[in-house]
Amino acid sequence: MTPGVLAIDAGQTGIKVRHGGHDIVFPGIRTDEPLLPQLAAVAHGAVARTGAPAWAVTAGVSGLTTREADAAALLARIDDAAVHEVVLAHDSTTSFLGALADGRGAVVAAGGGVVTLAVGRDRVARVDGWGYLMGDAGSGYWIGREALDAVMREYDGRGPATALTAVARERWPDLAEAYISLQSADDRVSIIASFAEPVARLATDGDAVSQNITVRAGGELAHSVESALRRVRSDPDEHFSVCSIGGVFRSPQLREAFASHIAASELDVALVEPLGHGIDGAVALADLAPGHPLAAAVSIARA
């Protein structure tokens, strides 16, 4: 790690910081408030807690928009004479660098949401990551939404019996009122995503509906990977590494379905274990070569 680098891996559930030989965790990003002041506050907090000055601040941020990807504005917000450089990127970039370093291939990061990033010889492609309303196929939210759909189909007589119904009744004893309770809940997205865990458990236990949802989720995630790789492939014989990270891959059946789809691909691909995590990718931003395909997706400002 380059000395003096303060690296930030910022997500909605938590913000990880590596600085001065320490790993620190801060509360997650608040999406209802401006982003850059939050990142500046985290940088100041990390310097205060470690007692080590920072020469550079690097950050990979979940859901970073084009408008927010302004390293110069963040440098001004930090307003620290010791900080001479700020590097800002979407967390799909830092997830890739953490998992595959300088390799070529695709990383699919699937938790409550999902985003896939592929890097070829000279091209980059991002697939999905469009949020729970417009995308995130195969994510924890997607799985939870499919689970609740299956529960209500059984309730109506439109679908087969499933052990997921008993799980739903633990939260909503009267299923006829469940949709009202859910639609009025401020945390309805996380409530829906929370059903991904019982889907994984019940799929292992043999519930056919949960198994079907799990297999389809693995297929969706593999489809995103293949779509991204086709967009960056330079020639038919190009070899790619594929790495899967995130909570949904804790499901053995989902991993198996995902791996099966990848193995059947006409692309030359190999599943590999991640080299590191998002925070490692945030550290790597400090040394990202200007000619790297991902360099165009990174905002850099220097004092």
Side-chain angles (χ1 to χ4, degrees):
M1 178 175 178
T2 303
V5 173
L6 190 158
I8 301 172
D9 178 26
Q12 294 182 29
T13 57
I15 299 175
K16 300 172 186 175
V17 177
R18 183 168 293 168
H19 179 54
H22 301 275
D23 283 354
I24 309 167
V25 178
F26 291 86
I29 297 168
R30 298 178 297 278
T31 57
D32 58 336
E33 297 182 15
L35 171 67
L36 298 187
Q38 296 180 65
L39 295 178
V42 166
H44 291 149
V47 168
R49 287 171 64 171
T50 62
W55 182 88
V57 174
T58 63
V61 185
S62 174
L64 185 70
T65 65
T66 302
R67 178 178 56 82
E68 295 167 329
D70 187 342
L74 179 56
L75 180 62
R77 282 277 184 183
I78 293 172
D79 192 23
D80 184 334
V83 177
H84 293 277
E85 181 174 284
V86 166
V87 187
L88 193 55
H90 190 274
D91 70 338
S92 60
T93 297
T94 47
S95 289
F96 186 97
L97 292 172
L100 291 180
D102 199 38
R104 296 296 181 266
V107 174
V108 52
V114 61
V115 63
T116 298
L117 188 71
V119 177
R121 292 175 185 171
D122 53 16
R123 283 177 285 184
V124 175
R126 172 183 163 182
V127 169
D128 211 341
W130 307 130
Y132 71 96
L133 289 177
M134 297 175 64
D136 286 354
S139 68
Y141 178 90
W142 185 95
I143 292 169
R145 172 65 179 78
E146 292 296 303
L148 293 178
D149 179 79
V151 167
M152 300 317 297
R153 285 179 179 276
E154 180 192 356
Y155 182 84
D156 286 341
R158 292 179 293 136
T162 171
L164 289 166
T165 295
V167 177
R169 286 191 186 277
E170 290 175 7
R171 179 177 286 273
W172 304 293
D174 183 358
L175 289 179
E177 299 293 328
Y179 77 104
I180 296 295
S181 175
L182 187 59
Q183 288 174 182
S184 61
D186 291 337
D187 58 345
R188 55 188 173 274
V189 174
S190 61
I191 290 174
I192 293 171
S194 72
F195 280 87
E197 187 280 327
V199 169
R201 172 169 47 82
L202 292 171
T204 300
D205 291 344
D207 180 65
V209 170
S210 296
Q211 289 175 339
N212 178 266
I213 293 170
T214 300
V215 168
R216 287 191 290 117
E220 289 283 358
L221 295 169
H223 182 50
S224 290
V225 166
E226 291 180 284
S227 299
L229 289 175
R230 289 190 186 98
R231 287 170 54 189
V232 303
R233 182 171 55 171
S234 299
D235 66 69
D237 297 325
E238 192 168 1
H239 175 76
F240 296 107
S241 296
V242 174
C243 193
S244 58
I245 59 177
V248 303
F249 288 102
R250 287 196 291 265
S251 164
Q253 291 203 355
L254 187 144
R255 287 200 311 273
E256 181 180 348
F258 176 78
S260 177
H261 278 87
I262 293 297
S265 173
E266 86 282 4
L267 299 168
D268 182 6
V269 294
L271 284 174
V272 300
E273 292 297 315
L275 298 172
H277 304 282
I279 189 64
D280 301 298
V283 172
L285 283 177
D287 298 314
L288 187 66
H292 194 285
L294 285 170
V298 174
S299 176
I300 302 175
R302 296 183 176 92

